[in-house]
Amino acid sequence: MGLGIVCSGQGNQSLNMFSTLQSYPDAVGSVTALSQQLGCVLLPQIALTDSELFTNKHAQPLIAGFSYIQWELLKSQLPAPTAFAGYSLGELSSYACSGACNFAQLINLAATRANYMDAAAGQYAPSTLLAINGILQEQLLQFCRDFVVYPAIQNSRDNWVIGGLVENLQNLFNMLNTHFPMYKLNWIKVNLASHTPILAAASEAFATYLSQQVWQDLAAPIVTSVENQVIYAAKDGILSLSQQISNTIHFSRTIEIMQELGVTVILELGAGKALTNIINNLNLGLKVRSFNDFSSLDGIINWVSKNLLSL
């Protein structure tokens, strides 16, 4: 019986997301520090337009910082986690939550990651991501070959995110919408094709940057999302943190490995609760909730304690 922490990525952020932290005095200093580091007002809402909020250069440091602040509020009041993991950008957040780097370093790494990704994507025509639910792997891979797009994330056996040039993805969307109405299609609110070869240059640049960092010991292992390895030292995860920018993420397998390590209860950090829904749909028998499901820290602490004891 163990606690797992998962950190979410982009797509569910909102301009008022930091307002949920205003009721926690211990968060004020961190929110202020993040605001100063980014040069952006965060309360009562983020001083950006809605479209700016969904650009990499703004979204990545904001979301990484938000997840970290949530964990700082909780970590001394919860049992030591059995493992950490993250979804896309969230994998970087998970390293910080496990103690590999401090808050300021995390924000710098997230901003640097975003810059490298934007630069790499800028060498191509506009790209983005499309979620497809209900499709099996063999057919999906055939469509990827036919339309020159790429599998970016596998959330479950039949739930995928596809990345590629906007024009190619639109052609795929139109075909699926016409001939395969049983598939559920959703555009992801990002402006580039993360986890695809389009961002290979960003992976290479970020690997070099990560190798120059000073890392601290991990408080708990991290399950990586590309090779699905268990990392016990931060320096051993550099390759995974860089590779996942331009390679397919196998998130469902990440969660299975967390369970194999002894995780029975999972708490999601970050904006929204998309990972909670994804994990529940895996039907692994795990108890899963998001920080954002609760109105108080006591509610989270009690839920974790109750479910760890009941198993």
Side-chain angles (χ1 to χ4, degrees):
M1 295 183 291
L3 173 64
I5 302 296
V6 294
C7 299
S8 65
Q10 295 173 242
N12 291 287
Q13 63 268 36
S14 65
L15 291 173
N16 66 352
M17 68 185 190
F18 282 92
S19 66
T20 63
L21 301 176
Q22 284 183 289
S23 60
Y24 305 120
D26 290 344
V28 173
S30 295
V31 174
T32 300
L34 179 60
S35 177
Q36 292 173 345
Q37 188 170 349
L38 298 179
C40 177
V41 173
L42 302 181
L43 293 172
Q45 69 174 29
I46 301 170
L48 298 170
T49 66
D50 191 62
S51 60
E52 286 174 333
L53 182 65
F54 286 89
T55 61
N56 262 341
K57 71 174 184 177
H58 294 301
Q60 294 203 26
L62 285 170
I63 294 167
F66 187 62
S67 298
Y68 186 90
I69 293 170
Q70 289 177 325
W71 180 239
E72 285 292 293
L73 289 172
L74 283 168
K75 69 178 184 180
S76 65
Q77 303 179 72
L78 292 178
T82 298
F84 288 85
Y87 189 93
S88 190
L89 166 68
E91 189 164 330
L92 178 61
S93 303
S94 73
Y95 276 76
C97 291
S98 190
C101 62
N102 63 28
F103 187 36
Q105 187 179 3
L106 168 65
I107 304 310
N108 173 65
L109 288 170
T112 300
R113 180 181 187 270
N115 288 338
Y116 287 145
M117 291 170 69
D118 285 342
Q123 300 174 31
Y124 294 85
S127 61
T128 189
L129 298 172
L130 173 67
I132 306 177
N133 195 3
I135 190 169
L136 296 181
Q137 180 172 330
E138 183 177 351
Q139 188 168 37
L140 177 132
L141 294 178
Q142 183 60 55
F143 289 150
C144 285
R145 290 189 289 268
D146 292 344
F147 288 85
V148 195
V149 294
Y150 309 96
I153 305 172
Q154 183 178 21
N155 290 322
S156 69
R157 185 175 64 92
D158 62 353
N159 184 332
W160 293 77
V161 176
I162 307 303
L165 302 184
V166 171
E167 181 180 1
N168 295 349
L169 278 178
Q170 186 65 61
N171 290 335
L172 173 60
F173 178 94
N174 293 341
M175 186 278 291
L176 292 175
N177 205 36
T178 300
H179 298 290
F180 297 90
M182 73 288 290
Y183 299 152
K184 184 178 180 181
L185 309 175
N186 285 297
W187 293 102
I188 307 296
K189 290 184 178 181
V190 295
N191 57 2
L192 46 68
S194 308
H195 320 301
T196 75
I198 289 172
L199 298 188
S203 283
E204 183 176 350
F206 198 47
T208 299
Y209 193 76
L210 290 171
S211 69
Q212 298 167 352
Q213 304 302 306
V214 176
W215 301 100
Q216 307 302 317
D217 293 338
L218 297 179
I222 294 168
V223 182
T224 68
S225 58
V226 174
E227 298 293 341
N228 297 131
Q229 297 174 328
V230 182
I231 300 299
Y232 293 92
K235 62 181 179 60
D236 296 333
I238 289 175
L239 185 60
S240 177
L241 275 178
S242 57
Q243 280 188 336
Q244 58 115 291
I245 292 174
S246 59
N247 287 269
T248 307
I249 284 176
H250 303 282
F251 186 69
S252 57
R253 182 59 184 147
T254 298
I255 300 304
E256 290 170 354
I257 292 173
M258 292 184 81
Q259 187 174 41
E260 291 167 7
L261 291 172
V263 169
T264 53
V265 175
I266 291 181
L267 178 67
E268 175 187 357
L269 304 177
K273 52 183 180 180
L275 300 189
T276 296
N277 296 331
I278 290 170
I279 296 168
N280 276 326
N281 287 335
L282 294 175
N283 296 315
L284 296 174
L286 297 165
K287 303 294 184 181
V288 190
R289 297 288 296 275
S290 164
F291 184 106
N292 304 299
D293 284 330
F294 298 89
S295 59
S296 70
L297 296 183
D298 285 343
I300 299 173
I301 295 162
N302 291 337
W303 175 79
V304 170
S305 299
K306 174 184 175 181
N307 283 282
L308 284 176
L309 290 172
S310 66
L311 293 169

